[in-house]
Amino acid sequence: MSNKWIVYLLALAVFLIGTIEYIISGILPIVAEDLGIATSTAGSFVTTFALSAAIGAPVVVAATIRVDRKKMLLVMLGIFIFSSCLVYVSDSLEMMLMTRMIQGLSGGTATVIAMAVATRMVEERNRGRAIGTILMGLSSSLVLGVPIGTFLSETMGWRTLFVIAGLLMVIPFLAVVSKVPSITEQKAITLRMQLSILKDKKMVLAVVITLFYIGGYSSLFTYISPYLQQNSELSATALSGILLISGICSFVGSKFGGGIADTKGSRFTIYAGLSIQAGTLLLLSWFNGSIYAVVPFIMLWMAATWATSPAQQLYLVTLVPQSPDIALSVNTSFIQFGFALGSGIGGLVISSSSIDNLGWSGFVMVLVALLLAVRLFANDKNNYDNPCHY
């Protein structure tokens, strides 16, 4: 087995982790009914996973930075497999929350370590591609994992989906056991180093923008299944089809967003992406009574959200060119914080008013992100955004 295939199998592991994190969004009503809880309460399963990954993963990675990366990756993958199977017997809200916490901590840590291991398994000139392959596994979980899981949930049960994902994780686990050598980090990236970049006001503003636009995305996406079914009785096949097409839109958006950022600049792409996100969320709030109007807006909204992501990360790298890995690591944590914030606010909206108002909550958060971007770029005197700069 070549090292390239090891990278692909690590991407498979990240794909399964992403599927386990996001799949709840597609089966939320089923999970809520099975556990006898409200849909808004079930949304806390997304919040718990995201917070656990955002807070726990950087701490674990920093605390174990001198430990063999292979051993740490095996431990985290092993815990993730166990926690995925534990879902099968998690028959209460409390136990399910604990299970999701374990999944978030182990899955988030495994994702970070998988990227580090992947860069060590290829030549230095191919390290960027290796990281891109790993991240492709994460984005693919939205495109394939969530709709497929939604489609299969009615035929085999939602708990079985988690067990299957856990068992599939055995494949990359065995590949790491047999093919990945012992790896010790030569340059430790400590938690203090990660937090130190937040002394830069531009960096703080930039990651807060990430927090709010991902929060605006999560407030609706977490409850996308009951939101779509609010005004239309959709079968599992129809719902999974909509989620699949929407996931493809997010994949295409990410691809085009990166290209536009390279040619037009990251600022232009961020402005355009945030503006389209805010606009579509506003239109969703006005037209949420018609499924035929909602679905096209959902597709455009997802494409715009994920087109913003590569531009945002490109801008962050230009802010800290000497420590791009640290900048991206901190931004990844704020992405998870955004998922937690959005799912929490979305749950409050549903419990206090109506699920139809999720578009408004998302719109407000993305509008805040857009206003912060205006302030950030207005105060930024350096020409980071000129494509010729690179």
Side-chain angles (χ1 to χ4, degrees), residues 353-387:
S353 59
S354 168
I355 197 170
D356 290 331
N357 292 326
L358 287 177
W360 288 111
S361 64
F363 167 73
V364 170
M365 280 189 276
V366 175
L367 182 61
V368 170
L370 180 58
L371 293 174
L372 289 173
V374 171
R375 178 178 178 182
L376 171 63
F377 297 144
N379 294 333
D380 189 354
K381 304 301 182 183
N382 296 312
N383 188 25
Y384 290 115
D385 210 29
N386 184 352

PDB file of all heavy atoms in Angstrom, residues 353-387:
ATOM      1  N   SER A 353     -40.465  30.367  19.523  1.00  0.00           N
ATOM      2  CA  SER A 353     -41.362  30.929  18.508  1.00  0.00           C
ATOM      3  C   SER A 353     -41.757  29.862  17.497  1.00  0.00           C
ATOM      4  O   SER A 353     -42.586  29.010  17.782  1.00  0.00           O
ATOM      5  CB  SER A 353     -40.708  32.132  17.808  1.00  0.00           C
ATOM      6  OG  SER A 353     -39.484  31.762  17.192  1.00  0.00           O
ATOM      7  N   SER A 354     -41.134  29.885  16.312  1.00  0.00           N
ATOM      8  CA  SER A 354     -41.492  28.940  15.253  1.00  0.00           C
ATOM      9  C   SER A 354     -40.262  28.553  14.450  1.00  0.00           C
ATOM     10  O   SER A 354     -39.330  29.357  14.301  1.00  0.00           O
ATOM     11  CB  SER A 354     -42.544  29.556  14.327  1.00  0.00           C
ATOM     12  OG  SER A 354     -42.699  28.788  13.149  1.00  0.00           O
ATOM     13  N   ILE A 355     -40.285  27.354  13.919  1.00  0.00           N
ATOM     14  CA  ILE A 355     -39.170  26.894  13.089  1.00  0.00           C
ATOM     15  C   ILE A 355     -39.047  27.734  11.822  1.00  0.00           C
ATOM     16  O   ILE A 355     -37.978  27.826  11.225  1.00  0.00           O
ATOM     17  CB  ILE A 355     -39.347  25.390  12.744  1.00  0.00           C
ATOM     18  CG1 ILE A 355     -38.028  24.798  12.255  1.00  0.00           C
ATOM     19  CG2 ILE A 355     -40.458  25.181  11.708  1.00  0.00           C
ATOM     20  CD1 ILE A 355     -38.037  23.291  12.132  1.00  0.00           C
ATOM     21  N   ASP A 356     -40.146  28.373  11.407  1.00  0.00           N
ATOM     22  CA  ASP A 356     -40.114  29.236  10.230  1.00  0.00           C
ATOM     23  C   ASP A 356     -39.221  30.453  10.425  1.00  0.00           C
ATOM     24  O   ASP A 356     -38.827  31.096   9.446  1.00  0.00           O
ATOM     25  CB  ASP A 356     -41.530  29.712   9.883  1.00  0.00           C
ATOM     26  CG  ASP A 356     -42.408  28.592   9.337  1.00  0.00           C
ATOM     27  OD1 ASP A 356     -41.841  27.663   8.731  1.00  0.00           O
ATOM     28  OD2 ASP A 356     -43.632  28.643   9.527  1.00  0.00           O
ATOM     29  N   ASN A 357     -38.896  30.781  11.666  1.00  0.00           N
ATOM     30  CA  ASN A 357     -38.080  31.965  11.959  1.00  0.00           C
ATOM     31  C   ASN A 357     -36.582  31.692  11.948  1.00  0.00           C
ATOM     32  O   ASN A 357     -35.787  32.596  12.248  1.00  0.00           O
ATOM     33  CB  ASN A 357     -38.475  32.551  13.318  1.00  0.00           C
ATOM     34  CG  ASN A 357     -39.865  33.151  13.300  1.00  0.00           C
ATOM     35  OD1 ASN A 357     -40.301  33.703  12.293  1.00  0.00           O
ATOM     36  ND2 ASN A 357     -40.580  33.046  14.418  1.00  0.00           N
ATOM     37  N   LEU A 358     -36.187  30.469  11.617  1.00  0.00           N
ATOM     38  CA  LEU A 358     -34.760  30.140  11.594  1.00  0.00           C
ATOM     39  C   LEU A 358     -34.009  30.978  10.558  1.00  0.00           C
ATOM     40  O   LEU A 358     -32.835  31.304  10.751  1.00  0.00           O
ATOM     41  CB  LEU A 358     -34.563  28.652  11.301  1.00  0.00           C
ATOM     42  CG  LEU A 358     -34.915  27.689  12.439  1.00  0.00           C
ATOM     43  CD1 LEU A 358     -34.747  26.246  11.986  1.00  0.00           C
ATOM     44  CD2 LEU A 358     -34.036  27.956  13.656  1.00  0.00           C
ATOM     45  N   GLY A 359     -34.683  31.309   9.455  1.00  0.00           N
ATOM     46  CA  GLY A 359     -34.033  32.140   8.447  1.00  0.00           C
ATOM     47  C   GLY A 359     -33.656  33.505   8.995  1.00  0.00           C
ATOM     48  O   GLY A 359     -32.591  34.044   8.680  1.00  0.00           O
ATOM     49  N   TRP A 360     -34.517  34.062   9.851  1.00  0.00           N
ATOM     50  CA  TRP A 360     -34.237  35.359  10.447  1.00  0.00           C
ATOM     51  C   TRP A 360     -33.031  35.304  11.379  1.00  0.00           C
ATOM     52  O   TRP A 360     -32.174  36.204  11.362  1.00  0.00           O
ATOM     53  CB  TRP A 360     -35.462  35.866  11.220  1.00  0.00           C
ATOM     54  CG  TRP A 360     -36.592  36.301  10.343  1.00  0.00           C
ATOM     55  CD1 TRP A 360     -37.802  35.690  10.194  1.00  0.00           C
ATOM     56  CD2 TRP A 360     -36.624  37.451   9.492  1.00  0.00           C
ATOM     57  NE1 TRP A 360     -38.584  36.375   9.299  1.00  0.00           N
ATOM     58  CE2 TRP A 360     -37.887  37.471   8.855  1.00  0.00           C
ATOM     59  CE3 TRP A 360     -35.713  38.469   9.207  1.00  0.00           C
ATOM     60  CZ2 TRP A 360     -38.258  38.461   7.945  1.00  0.00           C
ATOM     61  CZ3 TRP A 360     -36.074  39.460   8.306  1.00  0.00           C
ATOM     62  CH2 TRP A 360     -37.334  39.451   7.693  1.00  0.00           C
ATOM     63  N   SER A 361     -32.951  34.261  12.203  1.00  0.00           N
ATOM     64  CA  SER A 361     -31.812  34.149  13.131  1.00  0.00           C
ATOM     65  C   SER A 361     -30.508  33.992  12.363  1.00  0.00           C
ATOM     66  O   SER A 361     -29.480  34.588  12.711  1.00  0.00           O
ATOM     67  CB  SER A 361     -32.014  32.976  14.096  1.00  0.00           C
ATOM     68  OG  SER A 361     -32.050  31.738  13.404  1.00  0.00           O
ATOM     69  N   GLY A 362     -30.539  33.183  11.297  1.00  0.00           N
ATOM     70  CA  GLY A 362     -29.349  33.027  10.474  1.00  0.00           C
ATOM     71  C   GLY A 362     -28.965  34.318   9.783  1.00  0.00           C
ATOM     72  O   GLY A 362     -27.782  34.680   9.706  1.00  0.00           O
ATOM     73  N   PHE A 363     -29.968  35.046   9.283  1.00  0.00           N
ATOM     74  CA  PHE A 363     -29.730  36.324   8.606  1.00  0.00           C
ATOM     75  C   PHE A 363     -29.039  37.324   9.531  1.00  0.00           C
ATOM     76  O   PHE A 363     -28.076  37.991   9.130  1.00  0.00           O
ATOM     77  CB  PHE A 363     -31.062  36.902   8.114  1.00  0.00           C
ATOM     78  CG  PHE A 363     -30.975  38.339   7.683  1.00  0.00           C
ATOM     79  CD1 PHE A 363     -30.348  38.693   6.493  1.00  0.00           C
ATOM     80  CD2 PHE A 363     -31.523  39.348   8.474  1.00  0.00           C
ATOM     81  CE1 PHE A 363     -30.262  40.029   6.107  1.00  0.00           C
ATOM     82  CE2 PHE A 363     -31.436  40.678   8.094  1.00  0.00           C
ATOM     83  CZ  PHE A 363     -30.809  41.016   6.901  1.00  0.00           C
ATOM     84  N   VAL A 364     -29.507  37.426  10.765  1.00  0.00           N
ATOM     85  CA  VAL A 364     -28.928  38.380  11.715  1.00  0.00           C
ATOM     86  C   VAL A 364     -27.454  38.051  11.973  1.00  0.00           C
ATOM     87  O   VAL A 364     -26.587  38.953  11.974  1.00  0.00           O
ATOM     88  CB  VAL A 364     -29.722  38.383  13.044  1.00  0.00           C
ATOM     89  CG1 VAL A 364     -28.985  39.190  14.108  1.00  0.00           C
ATOM     90  CG2 VAL A 364     -31.116  38.951  12.831  1.00  0.00           C
ATOM     91  N   MET A 365     -27.143  36.767  12.158  1.00  0.00           N
ATOM     92  CA  MET A 365     -25.751  36.392  12.452  1.00  0.00           C
ATOM     93  C   MET A 365     -24.841  36.636  11.260  1.00  0.00           C
ATOM     94  O   MET A 365     -23.707  37.125  11.405  1.00  0.00           O
ATOM     95  CB  MET A 365     -25.691  34.935  12.902  1.00  0.00           C
ATOM     96  CG  MET A 365     -26.078  34.745  14.358  1.00  0.00           C
ATOM     97  SD  MET A 365     -25.782  33.077  14.977  1.00  0.00           S
ATOM     98  CE  MET A 365     -27.283  32.289  14.420  1.00  0.00           C
ATOM     99  N   VAL A 366     -25.305  36.307  10.058  1.00  0.00           N
ATOM    100  CA  VAL A 366     -24.482  36.535   8.870  1.00  0.00           C
ATOM    101  C   VAL A 366     -24.328  38.032   8.609  1.00  0.00           C
ATOM    102  O   VAL A 366     -23.259  38.489   8.181  1.00  0.00           O
ATOM    103  CB  VAL A 366     -25.092  35.826   7.638  1.00  0.00           C
ATOM    104  CG1 VAL A 366     -24.294  36.159   6.381  1.00  0.00           C
ATOM    105  CG2 VAL A 366     -25.112  34.316   7.842  1.00  0.00           C
ATOM    106  N   LEU A 367     -25.370  38.815   8.885  1.00  0.00           N
ATOM    107  CA  LEU A 367     -25.275  40.266   8.739  1.00  0.00           C
ATOM    108  C   LEU A 367     -24.217  40.830   9.682  1.00  0.00           C
ATOM    109  O   LEU A 367     -23.440  41.720   9.299  1.00  0.00           O
ATOM    110  CB  LEU A 367     -26.633  40.910   9.021  1.00  0.00           C
ATOM    111  CG  LEU A 367     -26.701  42.438   8.865  1.00  0.00           C
ATOM    112  CD1 LEU A 367     -26.363  42.847   7.423  1.00  0.00           C
ATOM    113  CD2 LEU A 367     -28.074  42.971   9.264  1.00  0.00           C
ATOM    114  N   VAL A 368     -24.170  40.315  10.908  1.00  0.00           N
ATOM    115  CA  VAL A 368     -23.124  40.731  11.855  1.00  0.00           C
ATOM    116  C   VAL A 368     -21.746  40.406  11.285  1.00  0.00           C
ATOM    117  O   VAL A 368     -20.812  41.226  11.349  1.00  0.00           O
ATOM    118  CB  VAL A 368     -23.318  40.043  13.229  1.00  0.00           C
ATOM    119  CG1 VAL A 368     -22.106  40.283  14.129  1.00  0.00           C
ATOM    120  CG2 VAL A 368     -24.580  40.548  13.909  1.00  0.00           C
ATOM    121  N   ALA A 369     -21.594  39.201  10.703  1.00  0.00           N
ATOM    122  CA  ALA A 369     -20.320  38.807  10.096  1.00  0.00           C
ATOM    123  C   ALA A 369     -19.943  39.750   8.960  1.00  0.00           C
ATOM    124  O   ALA A 369     -18.774  40.148   8.824  1.00  0.00           O
ATOM    125  CB  ALA A 369     -20.409  37.372   9.586  1.00  0.00           C
ATOM    126  N   LEU A 370     -20.925  40.134   8.146  1.00  0.00           N
ATOM    127  CA  LEU A 370     -20.667  41.038   7.026  1.00  0.00           C
ATOM    128  C   LEU A 370     -20.230  42.412   7.523  1.00  0.00           C
ATOM    129  O   LEU A 370     -19.281  43.007   6.994  1.00  0.00           O
ATOM    130  CB  LEU A 370     -21.926  41.155   6.160  1.00  0.00           C
ATOM    131  CG  LEU A 370     -21.838  42.070   4.929  1.00  0.00           C
ATOM    132  CD1 LEU A 370     -20.713  41.628   4.002  1.00  0.00           C
ATOM    133  CD2 LEU A 370     -23.170  42.088   4.192  1.00  0.00           C
ATOM    134  N   LEU A 371     -20.882  42.934   8.541  1.00  0.00           N
ATOM    135  CA  LEU A 371     -20.519  44.237   9.100  1.00  0.00           C
ATOM    136  C   LEU A 371     -19.122  44.200   9.721  1.00  0.00           C
ATOM    137  O   LEU A 371     -18.342  45.156   9.611  1.00  0.00           O
ATOM    138  CB  LEU A 371     -21.552  44.676  10.141  1.00  0.00           C
ATOM    139  CG  LEU A 371     -22.957  44.980   9.595  1.00  0.00           C
ATOM    140  CD1 LEU A 371     -23.927  45.272  10.744  1.00  0.00           C
ATOM    141  CD2 LEU A 371     -22.912  46.141   8.610  1.00  0.00           C
ATOM    142  N   LEU A 372     -18.799  43.083  10.373  1.00  0.00           N
ATOM    143  CA  LEU A 372     -17.452  42.935  10.934  1.00  0.00           C
ATOM    144  C   LEU A 372     -16.402  42.871   9.824  1.00  0.00           C
ATOM    145  O   LEU A 372     -15.289  43.394   9.987  1.00  0.00           O
ATOM    146  CB  LEU A 372     -17.385  41.672  11.792  1.00  0.00           C
ATOM    147  CG  LEU A 372     -18.135  41.719  13.127  1.00  0.00           C
ATOM    148  CD1 LEU A 372     -18.113  40.343  13.794  1.00  0.00           C
ATOM    149  CD2 LEU A 372     -17.522  42.756  14.059  1.00  0.00           C
ATOM    150  N   ALA A 373     -16.753  42.245   8.699  1.00  0.00           N
ATOM    151  CA  ALA A 373     -15.827  42.173   7.565  1.00  0.00           C
ATOM    152  C   ALA A 373     -15.574  43.561   6.998  1.00  0.00           C
ATOM    153  O   ALA A 373     -14.435  43.912   6.641  1.00  0.00           O
ATOM    154  CB  ALA A 373     -16.393  41.246   6.488  1.00  0.00           C
ATOM    155  N   VAL A 374     -16.629  44.372   6.920  1.00  0.00           N
ATOM    156  CA  VAL A 374     -16.475  45.755   6.446  1.00  0.00           C
ATOM    157  C   VAL A 374     -15.513  46.508   7.356  1.00  0.00           C
ATOM    158  O   VAL A 374     -14.615  47.223   6.889  1.00  0.00           O
ATOM    159  CB  VAL A 374     -17.844  46.466   6.406  1.00  0.00           C
ATOM    160  CG1 VAL A 374     -17.653  47.957   6.129  1.00  0.00           C
ATOM    161  CG2 VAL A 374     -18.745  45.836   5.346  1.00  0.00           C
ATOM    162  N   ARG A 375     -15.679  46.337   8.652  1.00  0.00           N
ATOM    163  CA  ARG A 375     -14.793  47.023   9.601  1.00  0.00           C
ATOM    164  C   ARG A 375     -13.351  46.498   9.499  1.00  0.00           C
ATOM    165  O   ARG A 375     -12.402  47.290   9.513  1.00  0.00           O
ATOM    166  CB  ARG A 375     -15.318  46.821  11.016  1.00  0.00           C
ATOM    167  CG  ARG A 375     -14.437  47.467  12.075  1.00  0.00           C
ATOM    168  CD  ARG A 375     -14.985  47.292  13.474  1.00  0.00           C
ATOM    169  NE  ARG A 375     -14.089  47.876  14.459  1.00  0.00           N
ATOM    170  CZ  ARG A 375     -14.287  47.832  15.765  1.00  0.00           C
ATOM    171  NH1 ARG A 375     -15.366  47.242  16.249  1.00  0.00           N
ATOM    172  NH2 ARG A 375     -13.429  48.378  16.599  1.00  0.00           N
ATOM    173  N   LEU A 376     -13.212  45.178   9.402  1.00  0.00           N
ATOM    174  CA  LEU A 376     -11.882  44.585   9.330  1.00  0.00           C
ATOM    175  C   LEU A 376     -11.124  45.079   8.109  1.00  0.00           C
ATOM    176  O   LEU A 376      -9.979  45.528   8.209  1.00  0.00           O
ATOM    177  CB  LEU A 376     -11.995  43.055   9.294  1.00  0.00           C
ATOM    178  CG  LEU A 376     -10.703  42.276   9.013  1.00  0.00           C
ATOM    179  CD1 LEU A 376      -9.675  42.509  10.116  1.00  0.00           C
ATOM    180  CD2 LEU A 376     -10.996  40.786   8.868  1.00  0.00           C
ATOM    181  N   PHE A 377     -11.754  45.025   6.946  1.00  0.00           N
ATOM    182  CA  PHE A 377     -11.059  45.385   5.718  1.00  0.00           C
ATOM    183  C   PHE A 377     -10.866  46.891   5.585  1.00  0.00           C
ATOM    184  O   PHE A 377      -9.917  47.343   4.939  1.00  0.00           O
ATOM    185  CB  PHE A 377     -11.821  44.831   4.506  1.00  0.00           C
ATOM    186  CG  PHE A 377     -11.895  43.314   4.493  1.00  0.00           C
ATOM    187  CD1 PHE A 377     -13.026  42.668   4.026  1.00  0.00           C
ATOM    188  CD2 PHE A 377     -10.831  42.556   4.952  1.00  0.00           C
ATOM    189  CE1 PHE A 377     -13.101  41.286   4.012  1.00  0.00           C
ATOM    190  CE2 PHE A 377     -10.890  41.174   4.944  1.00  0.00           C
ATOM    191  CZ  PHE A 377     -12.032  40.527   4.481  1.00  0.00           C
ATOM    192  N   ALA A 378     -11.758  47.666   6.203  1.00  0.00           N
ATOM    193  CA  ALA A 378     -11.597  49.127   6.179  1.00  0.00           C
ATOM    194  C   ALA A 378     -10.377  49.548   6.979  1.00  0.00           C
ATOM    195  O   ALA A 378      -9.701  50.531   6.640  1.00  0.00           O
ATOM    196  CB  ALA A 378     -12.844  49.800   6.734  1.00  0.00           C
ATOM    197  N   ASN A 379     -10.076  48.796   8.054  1.00  0.00           N
ATOM    198  CA  ASN A 379      -8.940  49.130   8.915  1.00  0.00           C
ATOM    199  C   ASN A 379      -7.646  48.447   8.482  1.00  0.00           C
ATOM    200  O   ASN A 379      -6.589  48.698   9.052  1.00  0.00           O
ATOM    201  CB  ASN A 379      -9.239  48.725  10.369  1.00  0.00           C
ATOM    202  CG  ASN A 379     -10.363  49.552  10.968  1.00  0.00           C
ATOM    203  OD1 ASN A 379     -10.589  50.679  10.556  1.00  0.00           O
ATOM    204  ND2 ASN A 379     -11.060  48.974  11.941  1.00  0.00           N
ATOM    205  N   ASP A 380      -7.758  47.578   7.483  1.00  0.00           N
ATOM    206  CA  ASP A 380      -6.592  46.823   7.034  1.00  0.00           C
ATOM    207  C   ASP A 380      -5.893  47.599   5.927  1.00  0.00           C
ATOM    208  O   ASP A 380      -6.358  47.673   4.800  1.00  0.00           O
ATOM    209  CB  ASP A 380      -7.039  45.442   6.520  1.00  0.00           C
ATOM    210  CG  ASP A 380      -5.856  44.533   6.258  1.00  0.00           C
ATOM    211  OD1 ASP A 380      -4.706  45.000   6.356  1.00  0.00           O
ATOM    212  OD2 ASP A 380      -6.085  43.347   5.965  1.00  0.00           O
ATOM    213  N   LYS A 381      -4.770  48.196   6.240  1.00  0.00           N
ATOM    214  CA  LYS A 381      -4.062  49.047   5.281  1.00  0.00           C
ATOM    215  C   LYS A 381      -3.146  48.259   4.356  1.00  0.00           C
ATOM    216  O   LYS A 381      -2.688  48.752   3.334  1.00  0.00           O
ATOM    217  CB  LYS A 381      -3.230  50.098   6.023  1.00  0.00           C
ATOM    218  CG  LYS A 381      -4.054  50.962   6.984  1.00  0.00           C
ATOM    219  CD  LYS A 381      -5.156  51.709   6.250  1.00  0.00           C
ATOM    220  CE  LYS A 381      -5.925  52.607   7.224  1.00  0.00           C
ATOM    221  NZ  LYS A 381      -7.041  53.302   6.556  1.00  0.00           N
ATOM    222  N   ASN A 382      -2.836  47.014   4.744  1.00  0.00           N
ATOM    223  CA  ASN A 382      -1.915  46.217   3.936  1.00  0.00           C
ATOM    224  C   ASN A 382      -2.657  45.548   2.792  1.00  0.00           C
ATOM    225  O   ASN A 382      -3.777  45.092   2.943  1.00  0.00           O
ATOM    226  CB  ASN A 382      -1.237  45.151   4.800  1.00  0.00           C
ATOM    227  CG  ASN A 382      -0.378  45.779   5.869  1.00  0.00           C
ATOM    228  OD1 ASN A 382       0.406  46.668   5.606  1.00  0.00           O
ATOM    229  ND2 ASN A 382      -0.538  45.300   7.098  1.00  0.00           N
ATOM    230  N   ASN A 383      -2.028  45.454   1.674  1.00  0.00           N
ATOM    231  CA  ASN A 383      -2.682  44.894   0.501  1.00  0.00           C
ATOM    232  C   ASN A 383      -2.534  43.387   0.445  1.00  0.00           C
ATOM    233  O   ASN A 383      -1.885  42.829  -0.419  1.00  0.00           O
ATOM    234  CB  ASN A 383      -2.091  45.533  -0.772  1.00  0.00           C
ATOM    235  CG  ASN A 383      -2.875  45.132  -2.018  1.00  0.00           C
ATOM    236  OD1 ASN A 383      -4.047  44.791  -1.936  1.00  0.00           O
ATOM    237  ND2 ASN A 383      -2.214  45.203  -3.164  1.00  0.00           N
ATOM    238  N   TYR A 384      -3.134  42.703   1.419  1.00  0.00           N
ATOM    239  CA  TYR A 384      -3.085  41.254   1.449  1.00  0.00           C
ATOM    240  C   TYR A 384      -3.867  40.665   0.285  1.00  0.00           C
ATOM    241  O   TYR A 384      -3.638  39.539  -0.113  1.00  0.00           O
ATOM    242  CB  TYR A 384      -3.698  40.729   2.750  1.00  0.00           C
ATOM    243  CG  TYR A 384      -2.895  41.010   3.968  1.00  0.00           C
ATOM    244  CD1 TYR A 384      -3.386  41.854   4.966  1.00  0.00           C
ATOM    245  CD2 TYR A 384      -1.657  40.419   4.141  1.00  0.00           C
ATOM    246  CE1 TYR A 384      -2.654  42.100   6.101  1.00  0.00           C
ATOM    247  CE2 TYR A 384      -0.915  40.671   5.286  1.00  0.00           C
ATOM    248  CZ  TYR A 384      -1.417  41.516   6.254  1.00  0.00           C
ATOM    249  OH  TYR A 384      -0.703  41.760   7.385  1.00  0.00           O
ATOM    250  N   ASP A 385      -4.827  41.438  -0.203  1.00  0.00           N
ATOM    251  CA  ASP A 385      -5.817  40.857  -1.080  1.00  0.00           C
ATOM    252  C   ASP A 385      -5.440  40.915  -2.561  1.00  0.00           C
ATOM    253  O   ASP A 385      -6.172  40.433  -3.399  1.00  0.00           O
ATOM    254  CB  ASP A 385      -7.149  41.586  -0.875  1.00  0.00           C
ATOM    255  CG  ASP A 385      -8.325  40.673  -1.125  1.00  0.00           C
ATOM    256  OD1 ASP A 385      -8.170  39.479  -0.913  1.00  0.00           O
ATOM    257  OD2 ASP A 385      -9.388  41.185  -1.528  1.00  0.00           O
ATOM    258  N   ASN A 386      -4.337  41.527  -2.886  1.00  0.00           N
ATOM    259  CA  ASN A 386      -3.931  41.569  -4.278  1.00  0.00           C
ATOM    260  C   ASN A 386      -3.428  40.209  -4.701  1.00  0.00           C
ATOM    261  O   ASN A 386      -2.439  39.718  -4.160  1.00  0.00           O
ATOM    262  CB  ASN A 386      -2.811  42.616  -4.442  1.00  0.00           C
ATOM    263  CG  ASN A 386      -2.393  42.793  -5.876  1.00  0.00           C
ATOM    264  OD1 ASN A 386      -2.812  42.052  -6.766  1.00  0.00           O
ATOM    265  ND2 ASN A 386      -1.537  43.801  -6.098  1.00  0.00           N
ATOM    266  N   PRO A 387      -4.031  39.558  -5.678  1.00  0.00           N
ATOM    267  CA  PRO A 387      -3.598  38.229  -6.061  1.00  0.00           C
ATOM    268  C   PRO A 387      -2.143  38.180  -6.456  1.00  0.00           C
ATOM    269  O   PRO A 387      -1.463  37.164  -6.316  1.00  0.00           O
ATOM    270  CB  PRO A 387      -4.517  37.895  -7.249  1.00  0.00           C
ATOM    271  CG  PRO A 387      -5.754  38.730  -7.040  1.00  0.00           C
ATOM    272  CD  PRO A 387      -5.242  39.985  -6.412  1.00  0.00           C
TER     273      PRO A 387
END
